[in-house]
Amino acid sequence: MYDDEVDRLAERARSRGRLRRRRAVRRLVRARTPAAVRALAVIAFSPAVFTEDSRAADLAYSALTALDDRRLVDAVCDAFLATGEPRLAEVIEEQGYEHSRPAYRAVVCFLTGDVERAHALDPTGDALRAVQEHADTTVRARVADRALAVTSVEWVNGLLRGRTDERFAELIDPEWAALAGILDTTGRRDLLWRLVFAAPPARAAQLLRRLDDAGWTPGDPTERQAFTELRDLTRASGSALRDAWVPAEPTRLLRAEGGIRRVVTAPDGSHVVVGDADDGIHVRALSPGGKGWTIPSERASAWRFAVTPDSKVLVTEHRAWDSPDAEVARLWDLASGKSLAVLTGPVGSVNAMLITPDGRYLALGDHTGAVHLWLLPSGASAGSLTGGSAVSCLAADRGVLVSGHSDGTVLMRRLRDARLLRRLYFDGMVGKVFLPERGGLVAVGPGGGPVKVWELSRPRPKTLGFALWDVCATPDGTLLATRGLDGIVLWRSAGGTQQLLTGPGAEGKRLSVLARGDLLAGFAGAGHGVHLWRLPDAHEEGVLPAGDGASVDHLSASLDGGTVVTADTRGVVTAWRLWDERVRAIGHRALACLEPFELRELQGLRARLGPEERAWVDLVSALARWRDEPLPAGSEEQGDVLP
């Protein structure tokens, strides 16, 4: 069986239809080729398969057991190395599988928890170093997490041996976290100090915080002078935490005692609108000295409201339905709070609200399956679109309106003439739909489930993956993020490669794409704030912490991503002004790679920066200055750095 046929069968195994899926799995089982076994290893533990058809998953799982062909055993181990799937590790342990190549065998032992044997097979750490140099970021992250969990000195030695300062730019975030944690635990703070001058400034500040917390100081007088200056600058910068970097300045806006239902930031970042369960809707200006106003709860729903793309009009839903002259929604001047228009009509219980991206239409989808339209900003009725069961979600772009319904129907209509363009069918209730700029459609169920992608040229959808909680997408549709079993899964090019983000920041149930697709935010994790990743490479950008053990439940941002508003479980609403993008970017460049002209540009920005940004610029400038002094930087020795 050729590899392209294996790929087709693997795609069928993830598609809808039990008979079609099981036939594909059986053909792969009969093939008994390495490529087929690797595909079955993915299918057996795919949430999209085992949650919909446990029989198909069992068939795939059984094909992974009792293997006596060395090529097939290697294929199972290769699949584990490629995915890091924990349940596949259990299969390898239970069946006693070992890879035929010693280096691969060592890495498999390391990841499955047999660390002593892994170190015996790879005493120099060369195999683990090869993972860092050649494997994808998902496997590298899993190796780093395991190294930190077992305090693997061998992994540190393999990582640091012979590495020049410039090559520290190649390390990914989990590797930096593991490196700092292991060196701190083993008491090698002299190495942490040397890494300060090789790490990106954001990581260097965290290393300095660790050294400060430990009360460590260098023995050499010149180094002590450097450390004292850098330590004091780190203390002065509120952005540097022990295990995080906060590239933003917060302003507390209000606290809602009754709980927060929704938060919306005006696209231009001028105002934030907060739905308070007890007191209605609060509008706050984000400019210094800006005023605010409140809509009482009896006049508007705290669950559904929206701001027009020009940031001038606020639309609120009024919960009075089924009467021809009932007030359905109201338009407000966002800045002054003046009522502009009252929208009436026989609308059923509203399930979804949408303002089209061009700001021309307001759409309300109700429980009868109808979508009611009004023109903006006049508030004049533009008719209703009927068909389908209760509306569950809405999306719009480029003159097309999409409605998802509770029976799984997805309707695509042209707004100007209400023409039905396509009728699609999803497996179960539709929770969210996306219209990527490049065309096609993406749909997912409420609270997760299978993620389906329709291409304009294909009649059948493609099952991209399985989401446990939230799904979001970049505007161009080239990257989708879902919350998976083990972290955040990034799908690129609508079904091509995938990447897994792990760690505390990836534990949140909610995801959001900010800054026109440049940032990914993960939040709603117990005791965590908001973690930001820079797209498309998914490098950690920073953290917006939540205080006192609270977690962030709601997040909204301006169109450019420069203003982010969060609401936590205590009801506290905070506006975060993200630092200038150039200041943030410099924090992730390896210190050894920073050029003098970049530092001069940083200093030239000082007049436009906030106090925390200026403190950060001072710290980066001092790091660069001491970098050029005759201090030990990096780890250029050829032998082991740890005993």
Side-chain angles (χ1 to χ4, degrees), residues 220-477:
D220 180 81
T222 303
E223 291 188 48
R224 193 180 309 120
Q225 180 184 355
F227 176 78
T228 302
E229 179 184 350
L230 295 173
R231 179 200 63 194
D232 293 345
L233 288 170
T234 303
R235 290 176 179 177
S237 174
S239 64
L241 306 180
R242 178 182 173 89
D243 294 305
W245 185 49
V246 187
E249 299 191 22
T251 301
R252 178 166 167 167
L253 299 177
L254 58 91
R255 180 167 186 169
E257 297 295 340
I260 294 171
R261 297 292 177 259
R262 181 172 169 81
V263 175
V264 172
T265 304
D268 65 358
S270 60
H271 293 77
V272 62
V273 188
V274 180
D276 185 333
D278 289 345
D279 298 329
I281 295 176
H282 306 292
V283 180
R284 294 289 183 271
L286 295 179
S287 59
K291 298 180 180 179
W293 51 282
T294 298
I295 306 172
S297 57
E298 62 271 12
R299 298 188 65 186
S301 164
W303 291 91
R304 263 180 288 278
F305 47 86
V307 177
T308 54
D310 61 5
S311 302
K312 293 181 178 180
V313 178
L314 169 67
V315 182
T316 61
E317 176 201 352
H318 194 285
R319 295 201 171 215
W321 313 297
D322 300 325
S323 172
D325 57 353
E327 179 179 335
V328 177
R330 187 180 288 260
L331 309 183
W332 309 81
D333 181 83
L334 184 63
S336 67
K338 177 183 177 181
S339 177
L340 301 177
V342 176
L343 311 185
T344 61
V347 178
S349 175
V350 176
N351 294 335
M353 171 187 284
L354 171 77
I355 295 175
T356 57
D358 60 9
R360 294 184 60 192
Y361 293 94
L362 166 69
L364 295 179
D366 68 21
H367 75 289
T368 69
V371 179
H372 307 276
L373 301 172
W374 288 266
L375 295 175
L376 297 175
S378 66
S381 174
S384 299
L385 308 174
T386 59
S389 60
V391 176
S392 54
C393 60
L394 295 169
D397 197 17
R398 303 182 301 279
V400 175
L401 178 70
V402 178
S403 57
H405 298 260
S406 59
D407 65 354
T409 303
V410 179
L411 301 176
M412 298 182 68
R413 297 182 176 98
R414 195 162 58 196
L415 276 167
R416 71 169 184 266
D417 56 8
R419 178 185 174 186
L420 180 63
L421 301 177
R422 291 188 75 177
R423 182 188 295 269
L424 308 172
Y425 298 96
F426 185 73
D427 298 330
M429 181 176 177
V430 184
K432 188 181 288 188
V433 289
F434 304 97
L435 284 172
E437 292 172 353
R438 60 181 180 81
L441 183 141
V442 181
V444 66
V451 181
K452 304 280 186 177
V453 178
W454 282 267
E455 300 289 348
L456 295 179
S457 59
R458 299 177 61 184
R460 292 181 177 272
K462 184 181 196 178
T463 301
L464 183 62
F466 192 92
L468 287 184
W469 294 97
D470 207 0
V471 178
C472 64
T474 55
D476 61 6

Side-chain angles (χ1 to χ4, degrees), residues 104-167:
Y104 284 38
R105 193 185 316 154
V107 178
V108 170
C109 289
F110 189 78
L111 285 172
T112 54
D114 192 353
V115 179
E116 289 187 9
R117 185 146 188 266
H119 291 162
L121 291 167
D122 180 35
T124 62
D126 287 342
L128 295 178
R129 183 185 178 98
V131 170
Q132 192 276 327
E133 293 179 341
H134 304 296
D136 65 25
T137 55
T138 298
V139 177
R140 289 170 59 185
R142 289 192 183 278
V143 169
D145 291 342
R146 172 66 70 178
L148 179 60
V150 300
T151 316
S152 174
V153 171
E154 290 79 2
W155 178 81
V156 172
N157 285 330
L159 195 69
L160 295 184
R161 189 184 305 113
R163 185 177 294 273
T164 61
D165 290 353
E166 290 77 9
R167 292 197 60 202

